[in-house]
């Protein structure tokens, strides 16, 4: 469920996000004071007052000189250093250590929502818009369980999100305690990494692994943190830097030659592109031009492919257009690029299918694939050498003519945005909503599609 953001100005994404988040937060937050389940944290007039951590967690913070770093402090500091700006969530007793640390340190913003599901979706939207790590949190039991829908969405959309699942007191784990669940089990299917911190000595490494995994594998990591462990003294671990993959994977010469030979021989080629074409618009247009191939896009590829695209024949699938369906079903060769389009019935039965994807495990997952190539879209299309065709192919002419006129008329309204999400297209029928929302949130518009 991607968000579409349109702004009249080209403000930096992080600044625009602040403008969006603040009014959203106040829209989701209760205007009244909120007394959460166990009544341990109160929100009043937008200010957070963290009451004493529960005796239930059996660990009052040390009074001393106030300098002792807690596990919760370590978490908050590392997140802030990693560039995280905010945590979306609902306050609750097992989260007290973390929310109190945020209040004292003031290096992260706590964005209060009414339901943890919103927190996970909001973190997913932030990660999608910025391409960087976003964080959500839920308290023990039902609190973190509510994150589940949003986390599935983040995992499927391959956006980097860290979820903090606060947990029941560590001494009670395994006793069928009040609000006890097994978060490691619950989140296993919607995360790349999910680990319980039962001792402060584990925290630095688990935290680092969780962040690095979410960034590298592009998906969800979950840290399960009992409330009492969050309030224990932290063990200082080595600081880490989090690494983003900058290298681009390019297929071998041999593979590129096979690809060129195959495509040069065929008359009717259709390209099916998806979200994996992000940032490769120019390369995609160049190759489609050489091949005279119509471009069908999968849903998540829309924002990266549809704009300024003379080869566009729309989407296919349950919500797709006849033009997209026609182009897919009548080609000799289907060239899938950076897509995980799931509907088997919308793939051609007799065509030769070539798939290019960054992840080898995606090859052939949705349909039979005759030639699978592991490679980054931009690098592969740049390296690809093909003959230039003269004249428009009959398949392209026909498929384009089938694209509903109103869709073609809408596309030129697209605008460019910064990498990694350069383009967002707003269909005409959303315009009245945009006008209203524009007034509400100060120049930026969010629409759910
Ligand atoms: C009710 C409902 C109805 C839907 N109807 C439709 C429909 O009619 N039509 C439709 O298309 N979708 C529809 N969807 C969405 C659909 O389920 C899929 O999520 C969508 O088609 C996948 O889009 P995608 O292939 O662009 O993105 P993804 O699933 O994210 O796939 C992207 C692929 O690109 C690869 N990749 C990432 N980066 C790179 C890179 N740099 N280089 C190369 N490869 C890369 C990834 O490994 C992945 O395989 C519907 C969803 C719902 C909930």
């Amino acid at each position: 469920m991607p968000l579409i953001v349109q702004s009249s100005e080209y403000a930096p994404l992080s600044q625009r996000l602040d403008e969006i988040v603040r009014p959203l937060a106040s829209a989701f937050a209760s205007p009244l004071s909120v007394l959460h389940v166990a009544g341990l944290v109160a929100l009043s007039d937008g200010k957070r007052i963290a009451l004493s951590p529960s005796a239930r967690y059996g660990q009052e913070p040390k009074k001393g000189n106030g300098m002792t770093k807690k596990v919760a402090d370590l978490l908050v500091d590392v997140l802030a250093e990693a560039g995280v700006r905010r945590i979306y969530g609902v306050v609750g007793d097992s989260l007290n250590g973390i929310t109190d640390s945020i209040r004292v340190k003031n290096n992260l913003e706590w964005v209060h929502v009414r339901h943890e599901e919103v927190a996970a979706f909001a973190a997913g939207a932030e990660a999608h818009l910025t391409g960087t790590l976003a964080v959500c949190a839920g308290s023990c039991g039902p609190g973190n369980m509510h994150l589940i829908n949003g986390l599935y969405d983040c995992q499927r959309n391959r956006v980097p999100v860290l979820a903090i699942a606060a947990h029941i007191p560590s001494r009670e784990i395994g006793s069928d305690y009040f609000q006890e669940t097994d978060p490691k089990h619950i989140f296993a299917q919607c995360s790349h990494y999910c680990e319980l911190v039962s001792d402060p000595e584990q925290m630095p490494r688990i935290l680092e692994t969780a962040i690095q995994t979410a960034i590298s594998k592009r998906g969800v990591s979950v840290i399960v943190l009992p409330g009492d462990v969050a309030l224990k003294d932290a063990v200082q671990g080595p600081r880490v830097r989090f690494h983003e993959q900058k290298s681009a994977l390019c297929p071998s010469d041999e593979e590129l030659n096979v690809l060129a030979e195959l495509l040069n021989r065929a008359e009717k080629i259709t390209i099916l592109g998806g979200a994996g074409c992000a940032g490769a618009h120019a390369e995609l247009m160049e190759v489609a031009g050489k091949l005279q191939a119509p471009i069908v896009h999968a849903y998540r590829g829309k924002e990266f492919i549809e704009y300024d695209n003379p080869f566009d024949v729309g989407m296919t699938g349950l919500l797709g257009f006849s033009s997209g369906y026609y182009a897919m079903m009548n080609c000799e060769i289907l060239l899938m690029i950076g897509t995980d389009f799931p509907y088997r019935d919308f793939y051609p039965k007799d065509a030769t299918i070539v798939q290019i994807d960054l992840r080898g495990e995606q090859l052939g997952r949705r349909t039979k694939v005759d030639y699978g190539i592991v490679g980054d879209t931009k690098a592969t299309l740049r390296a690809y050498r093909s003959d230039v065709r003269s004249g428009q192919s009959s398949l392209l002419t026909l498929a384009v003519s089938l694209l509903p006129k109103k869709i073609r008329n809408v596309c030129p309204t697209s605008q460019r945005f910064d990498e990694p999400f350069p383009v967002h297209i707003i269909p005409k029928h959303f315009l009245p909503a945009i006008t209203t929302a524009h007034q509400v949130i100060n120049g930026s518009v969010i629409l759910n599609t």
Side-chain angles (χ1 to χ4, degrees):
M1 197 192 296
L3 297 175
I4 296 181
V5 175
Q6 186 97 336
S7 169
S8 54
E9 288 169 21
Y10 292 86
L13 256 182
S14 54
Q15 187 189 323
R16 293 213 328 270
L17 212 58
D18 277 345
E19 288 168 11
I20 295 163
V21 166
R22 241 175 270 119
L24 273 184
S26 55
F28 285 127
S30 167
L32 304 172
S33 292
V34 174
L35 213 55
H36 194 255
V37 189
L40 296 167
V41 172
L43 289 178
S44 175
D45 293 335
K47 288 195 184 122
R48 285 167 291 274
I49 307 157
L51 303 182
S52 167
S54 168
R56 215 175 120 197
Y57 284 88
Q59 190 92 15
E60 289 288 333
K62 282 210 180 95
K63 299 283 184 296
N65 56 10
M67 298 296 281
T68 327
K69 195 165 194 164
K70 305 290 171 197
V71 169
D73 298 326
L74 179 79
L75 171 69
V76 168
D77 283 347
V78 170
L79 290 180
E81 274 176 44
V84 170
R85 307 261 314 257
R86 52 188 76 80
I87 302 180
Y88 303 89
V90 179
V91 292
D93 51 3
S94 47
L95 269 173
N96 275 2
I98 295 167
T99 46
D100 201 37
S101 179
I102 292 172
R103 179 184 64 81
V104 172
K105 289 174 173 288
N106 210 19
N107 53 0
L108 288 178
E109 187 183 359
W110 177 264
V111 181
H112 182 74
V113 295
R114 282 188 172 185
H115 190 289
E116 288 85 353
E117 183 174 301
V118 174
F121 274 112
E126 178 179 329
H128 179 75
L129 287 166
T130 62
T132 58
L133 184 77
V135 182
C136 58
S139 56
C140 67
N144 66 52
M145 205 161 15
H146 285 161
L147 295 170
I148 197 99
N149 253 338
L151 292 185
Y152 260 97
D153 195 64
C154 298
Q155 180 78 348
R156 290 284 161 91
N157 288 342
R158 298 180 181 84
V159 291
V161 166
L162 174 71
I164 300 160
H167 200 24
I168 59 167
S170 50
R171 61 168 186 255
E172 303 291 353
I173 293 174
S175 70
D176 207 11
Y177 187 63
F178 163 65
Q179 293 191 327
E180 180 167 6
T181 60
D182 184 352
K184 267 192 80 171
H185 205 82
I186 289 173
F187 296 113
Q189 273 195 9
C190 61
S191 63
H192 290 303
Y193 180 83
C194 179
E195 200 47 77
L196 167 73
V197 181
S198 42
D199 186 291
E201 294 213 30
Q202 288 176 283
M203 187 58 174
R205 189 123 51 108
I206 286 182
L207 180 56
E208 291 156 9
T209 308
I211 295 176
Q212 188 63 58
T213 304
I215 293 171
S216 297
K217 289 201 165 169
R218 295 198 62 83
V220 174
S221 285
V222 183
I223 293 180
V224 184
L225 183 60
D228 58 311
V229 178
L231 293 168
K232 286 187 177 161
D233 288 349
V235 177
Q236 291 297 336
R239 310 302 303 159
V240 278
R241 304 213 178 283
F242 299 101
H243 310 281
E244 282 205 51
Q245 185 179 325
K246 297 268 186 338
S247 53
L249 190 62
C250 188
S252 65
D253 280 348
E254 194 187 326
E255 289 171 298
L256 290 167
N257 288 340
V258 170
L259 186 64
E261 208 178 293
L262 198 67
L263 296 181
N264 285 340
R265 263 194 277 132
E267 279 297 312
K268 297 191 219 165
I269 301 164
T270 292
I271 294 174
L272 171 65
C277 293
H281 191 268
E283 289 77 7
L284 189 62
M285 293 308 120
E286 195 184 328
V287 170
K290 285 180 176 174
L291 299 174
Q292 285 301 300
I295 305 179
V296 183
H297 61 260
Y299 183 80
R300 294 200 64 243
K302 180 180 169 72
E303 62 196 290
F304 310 112
I305 294 175
E306 194 181 43
Y307 70 99
D308 297 343
N309 178 354
F311 311 99
D312 173 48
V313 294
M315 203 165 80
T316 186
L318 301 171
L319 308 175
F321 299 114
S322 51
S323 47
Y325 183 80
Y326 177 87
M328 292 270 289
M329 292 306 182
N330 290 283
C331 62
E332 275 171 61
I333 294 188
L334 178 67
L335 178 57
M336 296 170 64
I337 309 178
T339 179
D340 192 26
F341 176 72
Y343 309 114
R344 245 166 218 269
D345 294 343
F346 290 83
Y347 281 98
K349 300 277 178 292
D350 303 322
T352 300
I353 300 185
V354 182
Q355 183 177 6
I356 301 169
D357 202 289
L358 194 58
R359 299 175 175 87
E361 69 270 21
Q362 300 290 100
L363 300 176
R365 195 157 85 141
R366 302 301 180 196
T367 183
K368 62 105 189 169
V369 162
D370 301 287
Y371 297 90
I373 296 177
V374 176
D376 166 65
T377 299
K378 192 171 186 145
T380 307
L381 295 185
R382 274 191 176 175
Y384 170 67
R385 301 166 292 272
S386 70
D387 293 346
V388 180
R389 246 150 250 227
S390 56
Q392 202 172 54
S393 81
S394 56
L395 181 63
L396 176 62
T397 313
L398 244 164
V400 167
S401 73
L402 288 173
L403 185 68
K405 274 206 184 69
K406 62 178 178 192
I407 303 299
R408 255 178 286 159
N409 291 343
V410 163
C411 293
T413 63
S414 62
Q415 285 189 13
R416 281 159 195 273
F417 282 82
D418 295 334
E419 292 279 356
F421 305 99
V423 167
H424 303 271
I425 295 167
I426 297 200
K428 268 180 190 159
H429 52 270
F430 286 151
L431 287 178
I434 291 168
T435 318
T436 319
H438 198 273
Q439 289 155 1
V440 175
I441 55 173
N442 204 16
S444 299
V445 172
I446 293 190
L447 293 176
N448 259 334
T449 63

